[in-house]
Amino acid sequence: LPAFRRRSLGSLLLDQGLVAGLGNYLRSEILFFSQLHPKQRPSDLTSEQLAVLSSRIIDITRTAYRTAGVTNQDAWIEQAVASGESRRQWRFSVFERAGLSCHRCGYVIERTTKGHGDSIGALGVSHLLRRKFYTVISILMIHNPTKELSEQSA
């Protein structure tokens, strides 16, 4: 829709006029698994990126519904449970995981704020392949350039 093409993905995914029912945690997980930056706009994306985003919106929302809010991958859950993480932490890939290691790259997830110090929660990790670092609205970590993308996604 033309009205949505120039808005940032971070705010657009919370717009109930686009997809009703998405909140901070689903936005975080959708952006992380789509490997998109929250400040990107639909008009900035390739048709492949738009297809991935559309697919992730549906898949992650369905998964969360079927699993009582768990959006994390099974292998990452096993690893998190084995390390003693609480359900609140292991159920997500990035949301509510400040201070813990990113499952994809291993760096510590940091919670930040936006605007006038208002906390907006951990909103998701977006992998920027061209710049070789991870960036987020509310999570910031340096990408380990020695790891290949295939290793990070495993």
Side-chain angles (χ1 to χ4, degrees):
L1 296 171
F4 297 126
R5 293 206 40 86
R6 299 192 49 79
R7 294 186 46 203
S8 72
L9 294 174
S11 68
L12 186 58
L13 288 175
L14 292 180
D15 187 328
Q16 302 300 293
L18 177 69
V19 182
L22 293 185
N24 281 337
Y25 95 89
L26 285 172
R27 170 181 55 174
S28 302
E29 301 296 292
I30 289 165
L31 291 173
F32 176 77
F33 284 111
S34 299
Q35 297 184 354
L36 295 172
H37 190 285
K39 290 186 179 179
Q40 284 180 286
R41 302 170 304 170
S43 61
D44 300 330
L45 305 180
T46 65
S47 42
E48 181 180 320
Q49 288 172 312
L50 286 169
V52 167
L53 176 61
S54 299
S55 182
R56 295 297 182 269
I57 290 170
I58 294 166
D59 296 343
I60 291 169
T61 304
R62 281 184 182 158
T63 297
Y65 178 77
R66 283 192 328 264
T67 61
V70 176
T71 55
N72 208 349
Q73 297 179 2
D74 290 340
W76 291 349
I77 290 171
E78 289 176 27
Q79 178 186 15
V81 169
S83 68
E85 291 180 21
S86 67
R87 181 182 191 281
R88 182 176 181 95
Q89 294 167 327
W90 61 250
R91 67 185 271 203
F92 304 119
S93 295
V94 291
F95 189 77
E96 292 292 343
R97 293 188 43 79
L100 301 172
S101 297
C102 173
H103 297 297
R104 183 182 287 154
C105 70
Y107 281 86
V108 174
I109 297 169
E110 297 175 355
R111 182 175 181 155
T112 61
T113 59
K114 179 182 177 187
H116 298 83
D118 296 328
S119 176
I120 57 174
L123 298 180
V125 176
S126 301
H127 187 258
L128 300 178
L129 296 173
R130 282 179 266 133
R131 293 189 181 173
K132 290 290 187 180
F133 63 86
Y134 286 92
T135 186
V136 295
I137 285 179
S138 65
I139 299 171
L140 178 64
M141 64 186 86
I142 303 300
H143 170 66
N144 182 347
T146 62
K147 290 186 180 182
E148 295 298 320
L149 180 59
S150 61
E151 290 178 62
Q152 297 166 16
S153 299

